[in-house]
Amino acid sequence: MKKAVAFLALFLSAAALSAQPRGTYMVVDDTAAGIPVQPTMYGIFLEDINFAADGGLYAEKICNRSFEYDNPLQGWKTFGKVEVLDQGGPFDRNPHFVRLRYPGHPVAQCGLENGGWFGIGLEEGKQYRLTFWARTAGKPKSTGLLAVLCEPSTLADDQNLALEEITVTSSKWTKYEVMLTAPRTVAKGAFRLLLWDENHDAAVDVEHVSLFPADTFNGDDNGLRKDLAQALADLHPGILRFPGGCIVEGTTLENRYQWKNTVGPVENRPINVNRWTYDQFGRMFPDYYQSGGLGFYEYFRLAEEIGAEPVPIISCGMACQFENDPATDPDCPLDELGTYIQDALDLIEFANGPVRSKWGKVRAQMGHPEPFNLKYLGIGNEQWGERFKERFEPFLRAVRAKYPEIRIVGTSGPYLGGEWFDDLWAEMRRLDVDLVDEHYYSNERFFERNADRYDRYPRTGPKVFAGEYACHGSDGRKLNHFNAALLEASFMTGLERNADVVYMSSYAPTFAHVEGWQWRPDLIWFDNLRVMRSCSYYVQQLYSANKGSRVLPLTMGGKPVVNAGDLNATCAVDDATGDLIIKIANLGAYSQVVTFELPGGLTAAERTTLHSDNPVDENTLDEPSRIVPVTETLDLTPVADPANEWLLGVRNLDGGRIAFSGRLGGRTFAVYRFHRK
Ligand code: AHR
């Protein structure tokens, strides 16, 4: 009898030791070789849509600085005697300039005012570098000008914030520079340049009027708005895709993105009508141009500064297929494709060529003799059909022949599936491209149900670049709701779990000015002074900052955690630190107890969560931190009573493994990081 009691006690204690807590149970297999996660996995798509570049990331504050818009004075107000001329300017590709003359009376004024794109944002105590080109155009040998930072709509006694006099001293075109300091912060300021001379014969010609904050990202000349570029850097991107998007293609071939127009001295880069000027819903007056100021040099430089691989996308000789009827023959004739192919080859030379090469020399003259080490090139954006296939193949062959080391990104068209998609994937496989660009702007249903999209893909052949995607709310308003971000996070577990198929990804679009957007949702919103990181931004950041080196099997009941009730999850290991990183999305409204079975020897752990009780809540410029990731330390102390299935915490298992149980909130995306010895 005594023996029987002792046996029962032993049995109960063994059972107690192996008792599992209630809830779901997931097993991490850290003995598996795993699948390498490419450093390029999570990246950024950068297109000048929604005034992302001119009026946004590009720090230039003057709109139409070269007087080259179709209406040369668009963006400017003039007063007094102001004339636009186009003969005799200093820049052959930007011929227009303005002439200011004595206005006819000593108290009258003559000058120009520029209000930027949506007003000029100025910050208290910050310096602004004004540069312009000028020459005297009247009889006096020198002529005075007055540069003014101002606030046109103010109840303050004085509109003027900062004033500097400049004397133009030559009848030859000369560059002038002056620093202006803003004494207070103004969201909608303006810049004025006045003829400041009482001589009746005074006249001066002015060209390329430019105003930059002295403090740009990384202190670069012709640089980027610091807060917006920092938001990009904080994404820790593996790639930077540029310049689009549809602007690669253009509404017509004439206004496609031509990279050669965006390098060399900034004053002589010709402007381009932005293809998105025609898509400004509710804003019918086209006023969207590209200065080329944030051009291909600035792009490569930014990629380098934020540690991302550049992935340029170039025109394949086809104008936007959505905006053109093929019957009108909008594309480059096949026998003229050579020009487009040469542009692609020259771009590679610009990025990587030696300083003595034609385009390598241009790069060196711009300040970067070392190559940019370009590895990827995308040919065409959202193309489809026979016309594309006819153009793509010669393109590909020419680039491969000259630069076999460059990895080619092909395309699967604008949609996530269907006839065009299948047709192009077959063609991309036939041509053995390196990566295929996929685009899916889809609704909640798609993102909810497709965390297994890539589980079904062939494991050989071209890799996937999920180059443009975002969850578009089916309420039609397409806002940056928390729910959309949560669904993206859930879907992205499938990108990571299939790291052998998916090599790159980028949410799109990235930026939107609140007063100038054409497209939403967007990752980052801004106005003239402020920036708001959306919930989707934080999802991208959490993935990127917690990428890991290899994906390990994470299973529930022997199967990957895909659509497991409301849960989708993935696990990666960071080989540099040994950290195990589990990303998990709970799409349900209620919390769940989740247990991870892990190797022993954990030293510490944290969990970062992104959560909102309200699925349609969002960050705003006024409240940019409503929904942000929150990090907490996890308690790894073993539970006191392992037999109690309700207790949460760590249980020691046979073989030195442990089970960590915790409660995961409803509508939550969480990243667990377990540190090991
Ligand atoms: O990201 C916005 C647009 O969506 C891109 O320019 C285009 O490629 C896609 O249609």
Side-chain angles (χ1 to χ4, degrees):
M1 182 61 188
K2 263 189 188 166
K3 256 190 183 172
V5 171
F7 178 76
L8 185 64
L10 197 66
F11 173 80
L12 284 175
S13 77
L17 276 175
S18 60
Q20 285 183 2
R22 293 186 160 249
T24 53
Y25 194 92
M26 302 179 190
V27 179
V28 173
D29 180 2
D30 65 311
T31 62
I35 306 167
V37 183
Q38 300 301 315
T40 51
M41 184 66 156
Y42 305 111
I44 294 173
F45 164 90
L46 183 55
E47 178 176 28
D48 194 358
I49 180 174
N50 306 318
F51 291 83
D54 285 294
L57 182 62
Y58 185 46
E60 174 64 84
K61 302 235 171 232
I62 303 294
C63 174
N64 190 16
R65 63 189 173 188
S66 289
F67 309 99
E68 293 299 332
Y69 284 15
D70 292 314
N71 167 2
L73 287 176
Q74 195 165 321
W76 295 93
K77 282 182 190 162
T78 65
F79 40 100
K81 293 189 176 167
V82 179
E83 209 182 337
V84 177
L85 302 169
D86 63 3
Q87 301 291 318
F91 308 113
D92 59 329
R93 297 204 292 180
N94 285 328
H96 293 90
F97 59 94
V98 289
R99 177 164 295 171
L100 313 180
R101 285 177 203 282
Y102 179 74
H105 190 283
V107 297
Q109 280 173 354
C110 169
L112 301 159
E113 178 185 296
N114 193 287
W117 281 265
F118 309 98
I120 293 178
L122 299 167
E123 290 178 78
E124 182 181 341
K126 293 269 169 76
Q127 284 200 308
Y128 297 87
R129 178 176 289 111
L130 169 70
T131 57
F132 60 91
W133 291 73
R135 66 177 179 186
T136 54
K139 285 191 187 144
K141 286 214 160 62
S142 65
T143 304
L145 289 172
L146 184 69
V148 186
L149 293 182
C150 62
E151 187 180 15
S153 315
T154 178
L155 286 175
D157 295 340
D158 190 355
Q159 291 186 353
N160 300 320
L161 302 171
L163 303 106
E164 286 292 335
E165 287 186 38
I166 305 126
T167 306
V168 178
T169 53
S170 172
S171 58
K172 291 207 169 61
W173 284 106
T174 308
K175 187 174 180 180
Y176 292 83
E177 176 175 322
V178 62
M179 300 303 282
L180 296 154
T181 304
R184 63 175 188 265
T185 295
V186 169
K188 293 206 177 259
F191 168 74
R192 290 177 183 157
L193 190 64
L194 302 155
L195 188 77
W196 206 243
D197 203 301
E198 292 189 358
N199 190 314
H200 291 203
D201 295 319
V204 68
D205 291 342
V206 176
E207 162 65 317
H208 196 88
V209 182
S210 172
L211 183 72
F212 268 78
D215 191 17
T216 55
F217 183 66
N218 224 29
D220 291 328
D221 281 347
N222 190 39
L224 305 181
R225 202 177 121 171
K226 207 171 177 180
D227 56 345
L228 299 185
Q230 190 58 51
L232 297 183
D234 290 347
L235 282 169
H236 316 292
I239 58 151
L240 185 61
R241 173 186 172 135
F242 180 84
C246 292
I247 67 168
V248 168
E249 305 157 45
T251 299
T252 61
L253 280 183
E254 204 190 350
N255 87 318
R256 72 187 187 278
Y257 196 100
Q258 299 190 54
W259 75 266
K260 287 176 181 167
N261 289 343
T262 73
V263 297
V266 78
E267 294 91 340
N268 211 13
R269 298 182 193 175
I271 64 153
N272 192 14
V273 175
N274 189 308
R275 172 246 181 260
W276 290 104
T277 205
Y278 304 113
D279 278 282
Q280 304 199 53
F281 310 118
R283 302 178 70 241
M284 303 294 278
F285 192 75
D287 64 352
Y288 197 177
Y289 293 76
Q290 294 174 268
S291 67
L294 196 179
F296 256 79
Y297 179 82
E298 292 74 21
Y299 158 56
F300 284 134
R301 181 178 67 185
L302 173 65
E304 187 172 79
E305 286 171 353
I306 63 178
E309 294 289 350
V311 182
I313 311 289
I314 47 151
S315 162
C316 63
M318 295 183 77
C320 179
Q321 286 177 267
F322 284 114
E323 295 192 329
N324 289 282
D325 178 354
T328 64
D329 223 1
D331 306 320
C332 167
L334 285 176
D335 59 1
E336 290 171 23
L337 204 57
T339 318
Y340 291 74
I341 294 174
Q342 194 57 47
D343 275 354
L345 299 175
D346 290 344
L347 177 63
I348 299 169
E349 185 177 287
F350 176 70
N352 294 351
V355 168
R356 62 179 185 285
S357 65
K358 178 179 172 193
W359 289 103
K361 187 173 170 193
V362 175
R363 181 192 71 237
Q365 283 167 344
M366 292 183 76
H368 203 288
E370 307 78 26
F372 280 115
N373 200 15
L374 177 69
K375 300 190 183 85
Y376 301 93
L377 183 72
I379 302 172
N381 178 45
E382 282 182 348
Q383 264 62 65
W384 64 84
E386 295 310 313
R387 295 172 75 92
F388 172 58
K389 291 197 283 188
E390 291 171 338
R391 286 162 180 78
F392 183 79
E393 184 166 355
F395 230 107
L396 174 83
R397 294 204 185 288
V399 176
R400 285 237 160 112
K402 184 149 189 203
Y403 295 108
E405 72 282 10
I406 292 290
R407 277 164 253 171
I408 302 294
V409 182
T411 179
S412 57
Y415 301 126
L416 54 87
E419 201 183 317
W420 295 346
F421 178 92
D422 294 341
D423 178 46
L424 279 190
W425 254 107
E427 180 71 348
M428 297 300 128
R429 283 189 191 287
R430 182 181 76 79
L431 296 171
D432 196 26
V433 302
D434 298 279
L435 293 116
V436 177
D437 185 18
E438 294 192 353
H439 294 183
Y440 30 89
Y441 297 100
S442 299
N443 60 20
E444 292 96 341
R445 232 170 128 82
F446 169 83
F447 280 90
E448 191 175 334
R449 296 191 176 174
N450 280 282
D452 60 351
R453 175 179 174 92
Y454 296 110
D455 297 11
R456 302 186 290 268
Y457 269 50
R459 309 330 270 185
T460 56
K463 302 301 172 191
V464 170
F465 173 22
E468 294 184 29
Y469 70 91
C471 177
H472 283 198
S474 45
D475 65 354
R477 299 200 60 215
K478 299 181 183 172
L479 299 175
N480 276 98
H481 286 154
F482 169 75
N483 191 46
L486 178 63
L487 288 165
E488 285 151 11
S490 169
F491 173 80
M492 287 173 76
T493 59
L495 301 185
E496 184 169 295
R497 195 181 47 259
N498 289 286
D500 55 334
V501 169
V502 183
Y503 273 27
M504 292 180 185
S505 63
S506 46
Y507 179 102
T510 294
F511 282 122
H513 193 297
V514 284
E515 292 177 62
W517 61 273
Q518 297 89 43
W519 181 293
R520 63 184 184 196
D522 303 285
L523 209 58
I524 301 165
W525 288 82
F526 60 93
D527 63 13
N528 294 345
L529 294 173
R530 300 174 298 171
V531 56
M532 181 278 276
R533 301 171 184 207
S534 68
C535 295
S536 294
Y537 174 96
Y538 288 115
V539 166
Q540 295 293 321
Q541 189 184 47
L542 284 170
Y543 267 90
S544 199
N546 295 288
K547 191 165 51 224
S549 331
R550 287 176 295 129
V551 183
L552 296 177
L554 175 74
T555 51
M556 221 173 117
K559 293 190 189 136
V561 189
V562 186
N563 304 327
D566 291 321
L567 302 177
N568 281 298
T570 177
C571 177
V573 60
D574 179 345
D575 285 329
T577 59
D579 289 359
L580 292 168
I581 307 161
I582 295 175
K583 304 180 186 81
I584 182 165
N586 180 6
L587 301 180
Y590 301 104
S591 71
Q592 296 198 29
V593 172
V594 177
T595 299
F596 304 121
E597 189 190 304
L598 301 157
L602 302 183
T603 53
E606 302 99 42
R607 179 175 77 165
T608 304
T609 48
L610 190 69
H611 163 79
S612 173
D613 288 330
N614 178 1
V616 294
D617 204 358
E618 60 186 333
N619 292 332
T620 64
L621 278 170
D622 290 332
E623 275 190 281
S625 303
R626 273 177 84 80
I627 308 165
V628 294
V630 176
T631 301
E632 66 198 302
T633 303
L634 299 177
D635 185 1
L636 295 181
T637 315
V639 294
D641 176 8
N644 183 346
E645 62 187 343
W646 296 101
L647 283 184
L648 304 181
V650 166
R651 286 177 168 73
N652 292 316
L653 305 177
D654 287 346
R657 289 175 70 78
I658 63 123
F660 171 85
S661 304
R663 186 164 282 282
L664 176 65
R667 294 199 181 100
T668 299
F669 173 55
V671 179
Y672 292 80
R673 224 176 218 276
F674 296 99
H675 307 281
R676 294 190 288 173
K677 284 185 202 130

